[in-house]
């Protein structure tokens, strides 16, 4: 009986250690980090020209109730996605304007991969 208690105590300590270590390192326990496929996006030096391009195209802005952040999934309907012109570099992502910000989106999953503004 005492061996079982010691074994359970050792198991509890072993399982609790990673949680304590995570808490001390500043990581949030219980939430998975946002992982977004990393593909070629618009180069930093091309971003001002890309923003200007989006304004010139008069792309309609869509409103969503939540804050638009990397990793967020946009609604299935009501949002139109546009191809990024080749002059801004090769990319598989599309763009749209949501809540006043230009965002790059992975078209199949509708996940935001970059907020440009």
């Amino acid at each position: 009986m005492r061996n079982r208690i010691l074994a359970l105590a050792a198991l509890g300590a072993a399982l609790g250690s990673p949680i304590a270590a995570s808490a001390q390192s500043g990581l949030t326990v219980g939430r998975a980090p946002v992982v977004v496929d990393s593909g070629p996006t618009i180069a930093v030096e091309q971003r001002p020209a890309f923003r200007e391009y989006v304004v010139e195209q008069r792309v309609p802005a869509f409103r969503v109730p939540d804050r638009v952040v990397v990793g967020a999934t946009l609604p299935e309907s009501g949002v139109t996605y546009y191809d990024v012109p080749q002059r801004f570099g090769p990319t598989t992502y599309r763009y749209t304007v949501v809540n006043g910000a230009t965002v790059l989106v992975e078209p199949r999953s509708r996940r935001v991969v970059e907020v440009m503004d």
Side-chain angles (χ1 to χ4, degrees):
M1 179 72 164
R2 188 163 60 169
N3 287 341
R4 282 189 175 176
I5 292 172
L6 290 174
L8 287 174
L11 181 62
L15 292 175
S17 295
I19 294 171
S22 294
Q24 290 174 353
S25 68
L27 296 175
T28 303
V29 177
R31 300 180 98 188
V34 175
V35 177
V36 178
D37 296 333
S38 60
T41 62
I42 297 170
V44 174
E45 61 273 2
Q46 288 284 341
R47 290 179 186 178
F50 179 69
R51 285 189 202 107
E52 192 174 307
Y53 168 81
V54 172
V55 170
E56 289 171 359
Q57 296 302 305
R58 298 179 188 254
V59 172
F62 297 94
R63 304 286 305 154
V64 295
D66 297 324
R67 190 169 155 234
V68 179
V69 294
V70 172
T73 302
L74 296 178
E76 250 182 273
S77 61
V79 180
T80 303
Y81 304 101
Y82 304 91
D83 291 330
V84 175
Q86 284 292 321
R87 72 178 187 230
F88 298 110
T91 183
T92 58
Y93 302 130
R94 299 230 167 89
Y95 76 93
T96 192
V97 178
V98 181
N99 295 351
T102 301
V103 296
L104 291 180
V105 179
E106 200 290 312
R108 287 170 283 161
S109 67
R110 302 177 326 279
R111 289 181 63 110
V112 174
V113 296
E114 188 168 348
V115 179
M116 303 294 285
D117 295 332

